[in-house]
Amino acid sequence: MSTENPAAQWQDVQDRVAAIRQETARVIVGQDVIVEHLLTALLCKGHCLLVGVPGLAKTLLISTLGRILGLKFRRIQFTPDLMPTDIVGSEILHQGEDGSRQFRFAAGPIFANLILADEINRTPPKTQAALLEAMQEKQVTVGGETRPLEEPFTVFATQNPIEHEGTYPLPEAQLDRFFFELRIDYPSLAEEQEIVARTTGRGTPQASTLLDAAGVLALQDATTEVPLPDSVVQSILQLVHSTRPGSELADKEVNHYVAFGAGPRASQCLARAARALALLRGQPAASIQEVRDLALPVLRHRVIPNYNATGEGITSDDIVAKLAAAL
């Protein structure tokens, strides 16, 4: 936001954000917090893991965001027989008109701006690793040649929490690469009534395109310039360190119920996300409230409960929520 008129640019950013949220609400009923967190991740160039039962409009939500933001959207259905080349692409032998033969690269669906990795835990670890490498490095290597992925590049992966047969759960080290883990819940009675009214008539609302890839990159750049006060940084560090058993900031419950706490990546994610959420809310700077609101999606998959917690029904959400409330 470093222009000759920062105030005008700030207002332009706010107008764009408000238009995106309004347009999303035309198609998606409810899920306001989920939409806010998905936009936060996009502004931070972060990837999300969405956990929810089938039928909660996860695909519709992500494809709608892609349409509104003018991004190239691809959906990859993960299955047990999916191969890494089905994601990143492969070298194909091509025969020319003169009879010559040469290998040509056929790009896979990973070459897009917004990827929906549907039911990521249904594919074997080898194929999961191909996607996670692209997420981390923002590039793929096929046939000895490294090819960069288009910017912006974000992966939203989904998991079904109720089916475990035939699945390959993501290891904690791979889960840590996801910026957020979001839990999508059922709509309320009033929201479901509105969903039925909107989707069972002659026509359903269609989102309009408001931005393009360059516009999204500009918003991502604007996010990094939102002030992050020292007091907020200290709150982030206090929260993350308090999740680590054995730390001087860990309380008795953490030492009793937690096997492994969050690493430094959690502090980085909280700092970036607090800036982005402040921008989405029209705040001049990030505050401790943004840190509290983001604690669960950032930390729930990075705090690993031990056997004591499992035996007593204590979840990572319970632990993180209590620590965040104490800030």
Side-chain angles (χ1 to χ4, degrees), residues 233-255:
V233 174
Q234 291 304 312
S235 296
I236 290 172
L237 295 175
Q238 175 185 335
L239 176 59
V240 174
H241 276 256
S242 68
T243 67
R244 301 170 184 169
S247 166
E248 60 182 8
L249 296 178
D251 60 21
K252 291 182 179 179
E253 290 193 4
V254 168
N255 287 325

Side-chain angles (χ1 to χ4, degrees), residues 128-303:
Q128 290 177 2
L131 175 69
L132 294 166
E133 180 183 5
M135 291 164 52
Q136 185 72 15
E137 307 297 336
K138 301 293 179 72
Q139 63 185 26
V140 297
T141 301
V142 179
E145 183 176 347
T146 299
R147 296 172 172 84
L149 296 171
E150 302 177 47
E151 291 283 357
F153 175 74
T154 303
V155 173
F156 291 153
T158 69
Q159 279 191 182
N160 182 343
I162 59 176
E163 291 187 32
H164 301 288
E165 290 188 11
T167 62
Y168 304 85
L170 291 170
E172 280 73 16
Q174 294 180 348
L175 281 173
D176 191 50
R177 297 189 186 185
F178 284 97
F179 195 82
F180 285 161
E181 180 183 321
L182 304 178
R183 305 280 175 86
I184 301 184
D185 205 352
Y186 292 106
S188 66
L189 182 63
E191 289 170 345
E192 194 159 346
Q193 183 177 357
E194 179 64 21
I195 290 170
V196 172
R198 287 192 192 185
T199 59
T200 58
R202 286 194 171 185
T204 57
Q206 296 293 323
S208 301
T209 300
L210 303 180
L211 285 180
D212 55 16
V216 174
L217 289 172
L219 285 179
Q220 291 175 339
D221 289 341
T223 299
T224 63
E225 299 190 26
V226 175
L228 185 68
D230 290 342
S231 59
V232 178
V233 174
Q234 291 304 312
S235 296
I236 290 172
L237 295 175
Q238 175 185 335
L239 176 59
V240 174
H241 276 256
S242 68
T243 67
R244 301 170 184 169
S247 166
E248 60 182 8
L249 296 178
D251 60 21
K252 291 182 179 179
E253 290 193 4
V254 168
N255 287 325
H256 184 66
Y257 290 125
V258 177
F260 299 98
R265 186 176 287 159
S267 299
Q268 295 172 317
C269 290
L270 273 171
R272 291 159 57 195
R275 283 189 164 107
L277 188 55
L279 178 68
L280 289 172
R281 293 175 172 178
Q283 304 294 334
S287 70
I288 294 177
Q289 186 58 48
E290 276 74 57
V291 178
R292 292 192 189 102
D293 293 342
L294 293 163
L296 277 176
V298 170
L299 295 174
R300 61 165 43 116
H301 57 299
R302 295 183 165 98
V303 174

